[in-house]
Amino acid sequence: MSAFAVVAGGGTAGHVLPALAVAEALVARGHDPQAIHYTGARRGIETRLLPDTPFPHTFFDVVGFQRRLDRRNVSFLPKLLRARRLAIDLFRQIRPKVVVSVGGYASMPAVLAARRLAIPIVVVSFDRTPGRASAFTARRAAACAVAFPDSPLPRATVTGAPVRQAVLDVDRDRDRHVARAALGLPPDRFVVAVMGGSQGSGVLNEAVARLLDRFAADGGLAIRHAVGERFLADAAPARDGGDGVLYQPIGYESDMPLVYAAADLLVGRGGASTVHEVAVTGIPAVLVPWAGAAEDHQTDNVRWLADDGAAVLVTESEVASLPDVVARLRADPAERERLSANARLLGAVNRRGTLAQLVESVAVA
């Protein structure tokens, strides 16, 4: 079967989930899921997420280029060139009309193959500061779908960020009780969800340890914590809440729509997916940008919310204050409601559904 589109990108959930959102948006426009082909990285989280979707997929053996001296950089170019050849062979078989790049190193084989075969490219950029792969691809892209009106990318159209339909459908009031039951959370506690991204966050894990120490005897609090698979063996043990705080440590959170519906407060990082999903769902959030992010783009992402009173920004250097911030927001439902309302106002751009229309307008006849 020939493909309508190839959606390229991956490596981390921050790229895979937006890619899936793009694919879902194209299906909502009437395209057959079998005509939307996903390409990503053989070692990325997409190898876990894609098999449960209706989308055909191909994973290439590619690695990211490390900014610091790293022996893995020796294999970067040979792997990329080999993956480019395989992508060219794939595209000659499935004949896509357009390639949609959501950025990251896993998008590059498809981007380079599309250039070789003169297939139009759409760059989807959802960080306020575009990543290196997106900036490189945008130079010769037919169009750029961006989430922020001040994007520096050329030929940019503000479409909002790609957000999965299951997240767009979340109604926190309607879905709260069902979501809590599904996650094993009590209906009557204040629930804090701590999400450190698909890899987990050592900084947030240390902050949770402080939360557990501070609120150990608090029978009105529940914490659901995505520790990260790499940190799970060292995580604090689960607590059933019988004599104080309820604590659920997990390796990876596979159903974020349930979390958005169930939690009273989200503590997370500043990746673009998190920021835009906070805006769409209106969940009150405390966001701690990763200080090591390229060009400090996570701080720029979070400021988009924080500057409009739609989230609380806490820097890594301030993370020791997290128990105080959580206690303050827990005690002030009016402030949480303000955060929620302001976030949803900003999230309106993500609900317009214009990204898929832009992709269709670029596709070759």
Side-chain angles (χ1 to χ4, degrees):
M1 179 179 188
S2 62
F4 170 72
V6 166
V7 182
T12 66
H15 285 107
V16 179
L17 299 180
L20 288 175
V22 171
E24 290 175 357
L26 291 171
V27 171
R29 292 279 297 172
H31 297 279
D32 187 330
Q34 290 295 305
I36 313 298
H37 197 105
Y38 175 95
T39 65
R42 190 175 295 171
R43 292 178 177 84
I45 197 170
E46 53 265 45
T47 59
R48 289 174 52 185
L49 299 181
L50 263 294
D52 291 332
T53 74
F55 305 111
H57 45 273
T58 301
F59 302 133
F60 298 115
D61 183 15
V62 287
V63 294
F65 186 84
Q66 308 301 311
R67 289 171 178 266
R68 61 188 182 280
L69 291 176
D70 192 301
R71 63 183 180 182
R72 287 175 293 179
N73 286 341
V74 174
S75 65
F76 168 76
L77 188 57
K79 285 178 179 288
L80 178 59
L81 292 177
R82 191 178 308 117
R84 172 185 176 269
R85 289 195 297 271
L86 293 173
I88 289 172
D89 291 342
L90 173 68
F91 290 2
R92 283 175 171 157
Q93 293 174 24
I94 65 176
R95 304 187 305 279
K97 298 178 182 297
V98 62
V99 169
V100 183
S101 169
V102 298
Y105 71 90
S107 69
M108 294 310 299
V111 165
L112 295 175
R115 287 186 176 182
R116 171 67 177 80
L117 300 174
I119 300 168
I121 299 169
V122 176
V123 171
V124 178
S125 176
F126 34 89
D127 280 307
R128 201 168 189 181
T129 303
R132 289 178 295 172
S134 291
F136 170 80
T137 305
R139 296 174 192 169
R140 291 167 59 185
C144 295
V146 301
F148 301 99
D150 56 353
S151 173
L153 296 182
R155 296 172 294 284
T157 299
V158 179
T159 61
V163 177
R164 293 166 296 158
Q165 190 60 48
V167 175
L168 291 169
D169 290 341
V170 169
D171 182 318
R172 297 183 63 249
D173 292 329
R174 178 196 66 201
D175 302 335
R176 173 188 173 98
H177 293 293
V178 170
R180 289 196 172 194
L183 295 175
L185 293 166
D188 56 349
R189 292 200 183 203
F190 186 86
V191 174
V192 178
V194 184
M195 301 289 131
S198 60
Q199 303 299 313
S201 163
V203 169
L204 291 188
N205 292 352
E206 292 175 7
V208 169
R210 296 189 188 98
L211 282 173
L212 292 173
D213 286 343
R214 168 109 169 236
F215 300 109
D218 191 333
L221 182 67
I223 301 173
R224 184 173 177 87
H225 178 198
V227 177
E229 298 288 355
R230 58 183 174 146
F231 298 117
L232 193 54
D234 299 320
R239 306 184 189 186
D240 64 10
D243 57 355
V245 64
L246 185 151
Y247 177 58
Q248 293 181 339
I250 58 173
Y252 173 73
E253 182 56 73
S254 60
D255 200 333
M256 283 303 299
L258 285 179
V259 172
Y260 290 131
D264 295 292
L265 181 68
L266 174 75
V267 177
R269 286 303 213 172
S273 290
T274 297
V275 165
H276 293 296
E277 290 180 359
V278 165
V280 163
T281 61
I283 187 169
V286 179
L287 300 179
V288 184
W290 174 36
E295 286 82 42
D296 200 23
H297 70 267
Q298 288 204 4
T299 298
D300 282 345
N301 290 342
V302 177
R303 280 183 178 146
W304 175 64
L305 293 173
D307 288 350
D308 279 272
V312 176
L313 189 160
V314 174
T315 66
E316 287 191 357
S317 63
E318 301 167 333
V319 78
S321 68
L322 187 62
D324 291 332
V325 175
V326 169
R328 186 189 82 234
L329 291 172
R330 181 183 179 187
D332 192 345
E335 182 176 359
R336 297 199 308 274
E337 181 54 38
R338 283 193 296 274
L339 290 171
S340 178
N342 290 337
R344 284 190 60 80
L345 284 174
L346 290 176
V349 67
N350 298 328
R351 292 188 286 269
R352 293 175 186 163
T354 55
L355 194 158
Q357 296 174 45
L358 178 65
V359 172
E360 290 176 330
S361 73
V362 166
V364 293

